[in-house]
């Protein structure tokens, strides 16, 4: 059974204070790892897909990285508009549906 | 227009009433999903469909039913609503690469 654990549950940062969110996963064979951003009361919005260990992807202040056991979402010099819940999900061979973590609620204080 | 449209956006209903939540998508994908989200519990899969003739139960299907009317339409019904079904409901669609596109959600309150 695929499992995804995200940490921390919540993170408060000052504007400009860089940090990382963690997503640990257990799968039989990884097809893809996905990061989503979710604003309160809205649907998750796709950010990145990573397919193999060592892969990195960037978008503005966000960079996602992948190892064989975990993924990190690095946020550099965050702004208040980066405040949201960030969800991680995995897709594995033999399971045609995404398995989601419970998310990290990120708050950036001006 | 949004890729995935959910209606209604908000709904308040009484205990015991039947209610239908509707979802339509313009992505042309075969795969569609219904999720429920409660604070602190993340996304829980209710039902999913990989094509018009394929319907599957998810983790929490009790008390819910679905109908896949066409490739683009997937409806979720609560046969007899109860207060603990108060939640945010999301519809999503995906292609074979696995990445999901979500709708904006329906906030359902059962009183």
């Amino acid at each position: 059974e695929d499992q995804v654990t995200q940490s921390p549950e919540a993170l408060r940062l000052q504007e400009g204070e860089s940090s990382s969110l963690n997503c640990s996963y257990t799968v039989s064979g990884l097809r893809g790892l996905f990061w989503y951003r979710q604003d309160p009361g809205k649907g998750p919005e796709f950010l990145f897909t990573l397919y193999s260990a060592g892969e990195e992807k960037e978008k503005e202040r966000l960079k996602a990285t992948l190892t064989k056991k975990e993924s990190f979402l690095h946020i550099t010099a965050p702004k208040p508009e980066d405040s949201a819940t960030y969800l991680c999900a995995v897709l594995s061979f033999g399971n045609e549906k995404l398995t989601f973590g419970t998310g990290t609620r990120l708050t950036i204080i001006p | 227009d949004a890729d995935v449209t959910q209606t209604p956006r908000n709904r308040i209903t009484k205990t015991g009433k039947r209610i239908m939540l509707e979802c339509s998508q313009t992505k042309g994908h075969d795969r569609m999903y219904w999720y429920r989200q409660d604070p602190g519990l993340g996304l829980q899969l209710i039902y999913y469909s990989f094509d018009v003739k394929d319907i599957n139960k998810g983790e929490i299907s009790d008390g819910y039913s679905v109908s896949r009317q066409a490739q683009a339409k997937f409806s979720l019904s609560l046969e007899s609503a109860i207060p603990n079904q108060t939640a945010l409901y999301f519809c999503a669609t995906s292609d074979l690469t696995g990445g999901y596109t979500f709708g904006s959600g329906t906030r359902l309150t059962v009183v």
Side-chain angles (χ1 to χ4, degrees):
Chain A
E1 181 181 339
D2 300 340
Q3 293 185 338
V4 178
T5 302
Q6 292 188 246
S7 62
E9 288 186 12
L11 181 63
R12 291 171 61 90
L13 300 172
Q14 293 291 327
E15 184 173 359
E17 181 184 1
S18 301
S19 188
S20 297
L21 313 182
N22 178 262
C23 171
S24 297
Y25 64 90
T26 304
V27 297
S28 53
L30 184 69
R31 284 176 58 188
L33 185 140
F34 302 81
W35 281 98
Y36 289 85
R37 169 191 170 126
Q38 186 176 22
D39 293 305
K42 297 188 177 181
E45 178 185 336
F46 171 78
L47 290 174
F48 304 108
T49 308
L50 302 168
Y51 294 103
S52 58
E55 189 175 0
E56 298 182 354
K57 289 195 175 171
E58 289 188 64
K59 180 180 180 180
E60 296 181 356
R61 295 175 292 283
L62 299 176
K63 183 170 79 171
T65 62
L66 181 65
T67 73
K68 290 186 177 180
K69 293 184 178 181
E70 57 192 351
S71 177
F72 291 94
L73 185 65
H74 306 277
I75 182 161
T76 302
K79 299 180 178 181
E81 54 263 41
D82 295 320
S83 297
T85 295
Y86 291 86
L87 298 171
C88 172
V90 295
L91 185 68
S92 67
F93 294 100
N95 184 0
E96 292 293 322
K97 310 175 300 301
L98 289 183
T99 299
F100 285 88
T102 53
T104 293
R105 188 173 67 254
L106 178 65
T107 303
I108 308 301
I109 304 162
Chain B
D1 287 345
D3 291 330
V4 181
T5 301
Q6 291 185 235
T7 56
R9 289 299 314 274
N10 294 282
R11 179 73 181 265
I12 301 174
T13 192
K14 293 184 178 180
T15 298
K17 292 291 187 181
R18 185 178 189 275
I19 182 172
M20 178 182 289
L21 309 183
E22 299 188 348
C23 176
S24 63
Q25 53 104 351
T26 58
K27 300 282 286 186
H29 294 165
D30 287 325
R31 302 181 172 200
M32 297 188 73
Y33 311 82
W34 274 104
Y35 283 88
R36 166 180 172 156
Q37 189 174 45
D38 298 273
L41 293 181
L43 290 163
Q44 297 174 279
L45 182 63
I46 307 172
Y47 271 94
Y48 62 101
S49 170
F50 285 169
D51 67 42
V52 176
K53 296 180 180 179
D54 175 74
I55 301 289
N56 303 282
K57 292 182 178 181
E59 307 158 1
I60 56 162
S61 59
D62 288 349
Y64 302 94
S65 62
V66 291
S67 173
R68 185 80 185 267
Q69 300 94 328
Q71 185 200 42
K73 296 185 182 294
F74 193 34
S75 300
L76 175 73
S77 293
L78 285 66
E79 299 302 326
S80 179
I82 56 176
N84 76 359
Q85 291 178 312
T86 293
L88 261 176
Y89 289 85
F90 291 105
C91 174
T93 184
S94 75
D95 59 15
L96 291 177
T97 65
Y100 289 10
T101 301
F102 285 86
S104 298
T106 294
R107 183 176 296 279
L108 177 66
T109 304
V110 183
V111 298

